[in-house]
Amino acid sequence: MSKLADIGVIGLGVMGAALARNFHSRGLVVATWNRETDMAEAFTAKYGDDRFVSSPSLAQFVQSLETPRRIIVMVTAGRPVDLVLEALAPHLGNEDIVVDGGNTFFRDTVRRDQWCRARGFRFVGMGVSGGEEGALKGPAMMPGGDVEAWQRLRPVLELACARSEHGPCVDHCGAGGAGHYVKMVHNGIEYADMQIISEIWTLLAGGLGRSGKAAADAFARWNDTELRSYLVEVTALVLSVQDPQTGGPLVDQILDAAGQKGTGRWTVEQGLELGIPLPTLAAAVDARGISSNLTARRHGSATFGDRGHAAIHGLEVDDLRRAFYAARIASYSQGFQLLQAASVAHGFGANLAAVSRIWTAGCILRAALLDRLYAALVRNPALELLHHDPDLAQTLAEALPALRKTVVKATEAGYAIPCLSSALGWLDGMATARGSAALIQAQRDCFGAHTYKRVDAPDIAVHSLWAELPKLAG
Ligand code: 6PG
């Protein structure tokens, strides 16, 4: 074949193979490379035609690309990315661009950007969301870093990405490691949304007696409401599946110990680092941790009485729908507050309206709510808390009583609902003009002379000798 390839894909695992096929389906000539030759051969045997260029060596793979080269690396995050960059470096020239499309920690992206610059080629860290189907049909893509590199990548990425009514679901997310940071926060919110859904399902099935098909039907119905989203759609699907062995729901036969690869935990760690509370996202990560403590949980249920099955009286299915929506708004609001803070702290200069637009289609988070978040951020790009947008605030005020009722009733009945209850606690805390921290400050000053500030002189640090001051009478 004489024509040089428009784009190269390194790593032909599930996501890489799907992305390569996606580019190919848009009429691009795609060069592919995989270090393990059996995977490369399997890919060529399955999909090979004249718009896929396979090469016997990495050097020839690079030579098969039109310059300046655009190479997307889809290998497991971590050391494999460094190995690919080290192998590529001797073959690349000044304007060539290498994109890491994995779930990479943003600080590794910053380090690799400098490493690649020092070796004379460009590097872009890009989050890719949507799973295998998304990668194949149109994922949401979150590139960051080198702006010139983005401009050169833009035409091919806009061809391959998802599209919503708001435009292509790809945009430059900001400087440095912003692309991977945005994807990390996407996953932190993903953890929260999945846990909220799981808690609502437990209440529906255990508390309100809507198990099996009735639960699947409830989620399917909700997918036609303001809750419409990919994760609700997937939930309705998986809850409807029958186990061929027992005839009951397949989900009931799955061991309830959730796995995780770390992106949710990174998000929470970033919140701690920047002092941004993310209680609902943290509760979701912790809930996965609690779920994995199978032996301890069994011991606990034998010791204290098993939880999570009691009937809940006075709670309606519709209360759960509204509670779900309120908790979902709270978790997005937490995630975007982290993005706002990170954009300043790390100098991303992120355009958060663009981020919310990228998430309107293609990614795991795609949801009707994203249209409203996008509208809110277009109205006010500096909005610190999304639920303070007047439109969202009104919706939240309407849904909040249902969240409160759900948390009260479910907690009374002994259900563990860490995401729903932390969402309520956060919303209440963030709407409390004077809270309880005055006492924390007094304690700190009393035992450690840490000082405090008076409400009537908030700029002056004061220390009191608490034991020696006059005491209240009566
Ligand atoms: C996506 C997903 C994906 C993520 C999986 C699994 O946007 O396509 O976020 O990137 O890896 O959802 O994540 P956990 O194994 O940590 O649940």
Side-chain angles (χ1 to χ4, degrees), residues 325-396:
Y325 200 46
R328 175 177 270 182
I329 292 173
S331 62
Y332 273 89
S333 201
Q334 291 169 24
F336 272 84
Q337 193 186 17
L338 176 63
L339 282 175
Q340 289 279 15
S343 183
V344 175
H346 300 301
F348 293 153
N351 174 350
L352 296 190
V355 169
S356 63
R357 198 199 71 229
I358 295 172
W359 293 353
T360 52
C363 65
I364 303 295
L365 286 185
R366 61 187 186 263
L369 178 60
L370 260 313
D371 296 331
R372 298 185 64 185
L373 301 187
Y374 175 54
L377 285 161
V378 167
R379 275 193 289 276
N380 179 5
L383 188 63
E384 196 195 343
L385 288 167
L386 290 177
H387 69 279
H388 285 183
D389 169 77
D391 174 49
L392 288 162
Q394 194 189 334
T395 300
L396 183 62

Side-chain angles (χ1 to χ4, degrees), residues 103 129-131 183 186-187 190-191 260-263 288 364:
N103 273 334
S129 177
K183 176 64 189 350
H186 168 283
N187 282 26
E190 174 187 304
Y191 275 47
Q260 53 183 312
K261 296 198 198 76
T263 47
R288 291 198 188 190
I364 303 295

Side-chain angles (χ1 to χ4, degrees), residues 167-403:
C169 292
V170 63
D171 208 338
H172 188 251
C173 290
H180 280 136
Y181 200 100
V182 166
K183 176 64 189 350
M184 175 193 75
V185 175
H186 168 283
N187 282 26
I189 299 172
E190 174 187 304
Y191 275 47
D193 211 46
M194 291 171 74
Q195 176 64 24
I196 290 166
I197 291 174
S198 301
E199 291 173 17
I200 293 285
W201 168 59
T202 309
L203 300 180
L204 249 182
L208 304 192
R210 310 299 208 279
S211 56
K213 182 155 183 342
D217 289 347
F219 280 99
R221 271 199 316 280
W222 289 346
N223 205 36
D224 291 328
T225 69
E226 75 286 356
L227 289 173
R228 180 174 54 75
S229 57
Y230 174 69
L231 283 170
V232 167
E233 183 189 324
V234 162
T235 303
L237 168 67
V238 299
L239 289 179
S240 71
V241 172
Q242 190 181 38
D243 172 35
Q245 289 179 41
T246 61
L250 178 56
V251 71
D252 289 351
Q253 301 306 318
I254 298 179
L255 200 67
D256 67 327
Q260 53 183 312
K261 296 198 198 76
T263 47
R265 177 171 54 77
W266 293 345
T267 311
V268 176
E269 286 170 352
Q270 283 310 303
L272 292 173
E273 196 173 306
L274 296 183
I276 301 296
L278 306 169
T280 310
L281 278 55
V285 177
D286 287 342
R288 291 198 188 190
I290 291 170
S291 80
S292 301
N293 277 267
L294 280 174
T295 312
R297 282 165 47 209
R298 282 180 194 137
H299 186 73
S301 90
T303 309
F304 300 107
D306 197 25
R307 306 282 204 271
H309 308 286
I312 303 175
H313 303 289
L315 191 67
E316 311 296 329
V317 173
D318 211 50
D319 292 325
L320 294 182
R321 175 180 65 81
R322 293 188 301 139
F324 177 0
Y325 200 46
R328 175 177 270 182
I329 292 173
S331 62
Y332 273 89
S333 201
Q334 291 169 24
F336 272 84
Q337 193 186 17
L338 176 63
L339 282 175
Q340 289 279 15
S343 183
V344 175
H346 300 301
F348 293 153
N351 174 350
L352 296 190
V355 169
S356 63
R357 198 199 71 229
I358 295 172
W359 293 353
T360 52
C363 65
I364 303 295
L365 286 185
R366 61 187 186 263
L369 178 60
L370 260 313
D371 296 331
R372 298 185 64 185
L373 301 187
Y374 175 54
L377 285 161
V378 167
R379 275 193 289 276
N380 179 5
L383 188 63
E384 196 195 343
L385 288 167
L386 290 177
H387 69 279
H388 285 183
D389 169 77
D391 174 49
L392 288 162
Q394 194 189 334
T395 300
L396 183 62
E398 284 161 15
L400 203 53
L403 177 60

Side-chain angles (χ1 to χ4, degrees), residues 15-31:
M15 292 295 281
L19 201 58
R21 291 169 60 207
N22 178 351
F23 286 125
H24 172 268
S25 73
R26 319 283 171 172
L28 298 175
V29 177
V30 186

